[in-house]
Amino acid sequence: DADETLAGRQNATVGNASIDFDKGRRGDALIVAVRCRGAGTVKVAVQSVHVSFPLECLADQVSTTYNEMGVSGADRGGVVSVEAPSSVHWSMTIGRGEPAQEETPTATTPSS
């Protein structure tokens, strides 16, 4: 997005890798976008904020998962570690930006 700054990038990769990312401004969210293709589970870990998540990748489909972390320590630099089977091709972009605003839940009333 135009209001985000690039902090790190990993071009198309097969297998495991670690990607360094730059420090951000205080209050910035850390954004990790992973694109994958090929059957298997990719495990992503961001050690500096103690966040990890799995991604299920499909054999014949390219999918992109976008994760924003607005937690304590997200402005620090660090490393994203990826564990991926050899059947999965993946790439990653790491960015910084303003944390997304939480939407206020709205109540709906059933129609009569």
Side-chain angles (χ1 to χ4, degrees):
D1 290 346
D3 59 342
E4 296 173 2
T5 58
L6 182 66
R9 175 175 283 149
Q10 179 72 29
N11 292 325
T13 302
V14 174
N16 302 340
S18 293
I19 303 94
D20 294 327
F21 60 90
D22 299 330
K23 180 179 179 180
R25 294 179 308 206
R26 188 169 188 83
D28 275 355
L30 179 64
I31 302 155
V32 178
V34 182
R35 178 171 285 188
C36 64
R37 180 179 52 90
T41 301
V42 174
K43 296 176 186 172
V44 180
V46 187
Q47 288 100 1
S48 60
V49 291
H50 308 289
V51 172
S52 62
F53 50 92
L55 302 173
E56 287 300 321
C57 302
L58 304 174
D60 298 325
Q61 185 177 9
V62 175
S63 60
T64 302
T65 302
Y66 182 92
N67 289 285
E68 179 179 303
M69 291 154 261
V71 297
S72 177
D75 57 335
R76 293 189 299 239
V79 175
V80 177
S81 298
V82 177
E83 290 182 29
S86 60
S87 58
V88 175
H89 295 258
W90 62 273
S91 60
M92 178 181 296
T93 302
I94 305 165
R96 302 279 186 180
E98 291 286 323
Q101 298 298 315
E102 286 189 36
E103 293 182 21
T104 304
T106 55
T108 57
T109 344
S111 303
S112 306

